[in-house]
Amino acid sequence: MKNAPSSSILLFDGVCLLCSSSVQWILKRDKAGVFAFASLQSPVGQQLLTHLYAGHPPPDSLILIKGDRVYFRSEAVIEIAWSLGFPWSLAVVLRGIPRRWRDSLYDWVARNRYRWFGRSETCWMPKEGWKRRFLQ
């Protein structure tokens, strides 16, 4: 994979406006360049999904691959915040809430994300300075 990162890969729904906005938010705060990105709809995203979820339906919103670990739903959100450092890392206290409750809230937002935030007919394209952070 061209532009493979050394640390973490964040797969996101490239047509979801909430997801694309979240990626932009992360890019602005990830000064260390910890994260690389790929949309779920991209060839790289599809290749990673096939590898990770061979024979099983993959999640359709947010997946974080960090080393040999895969995080999704609320765990992915908490791990992303942790990786961004202080003050975002304080979100780790959310692990004190039972995972099934956190994931239920995450699933509710995910189910309604297109209705609430909209959807684009094409994947969002990063600005020039961020392009190197996206896997090709």
Side-chain angles (χ1 to χ4, degrees):
M1 255 175 271
K2 189 175 171 191
N3 297 344
S6 59
S7 193
S8 300
I9 300 171
L10 182 60
L11 300 175
F12 67 100
D13 181 351
V15 297
C16 168
L17 295 179
L18 172 62
C19 302
S20 296
S21 295
S22 298
V23 166
Q24 292 172 58
W25 185 90
I26 293 166
L27 279 161
K28 290 176 185 174
R29 287 153 184 84
D30 182 19
K31 304 297 185 204
V34 170
F35 295 102
F37 303 88
S39 75
L40 295 168
Q41 295 83 359
S42 72
V44 170
Q46 289 296 301
Q47 181 183 6
L48 287 167
L49 287 175
T50 299
H51 174 73
L52 292 171
Y53 294 96
H56 302 287
D60 66 350
S61 56
L62 185 69
I63 302 168
L64 175 63
I65 305 165
K66 189 173 182 179
D68 61 350
R69 306 255 343 244
V70 178
Y71 301 89
F72 56 98
R73 298 164 80 188
S74 65
E75 276 300 310
V77 173
I78 293 168
E79 194 62 31
I80 290 164
W82 175 258
S83 297
L84 291 174
F86 186 81
W88 316 111
S89 58
L90 295 175
V92 75
V93 302
L94 295 173
R95 285 194 172 125
I97 298 170
R99 186 176 186 163
R100 70 178 191 279
W101 294 357
R102 289 184 281 125
D103 284 348
S104 292
L105 176 60
Y106 180 93
D107 291 344
W108 179 64
V109 172
R111 270 191 314 275
N112 292 290
R113 69 186 186 270
Y114 296 138
R115 185 173 344 128
W116 294 343
F117 300 98
R119 148 184 210 134
S120 175
E121 293 304 312
T122 59
C123 289
W124 166 77
M125 297 302 294
K127 64 184 184 179
E128 195 60 42
W130 288 341
K131 283 185 179 179
R132 64 179 175 71
R133 305 276 302 277
F134 287 77
L135 301 177
Q136 301 178 34

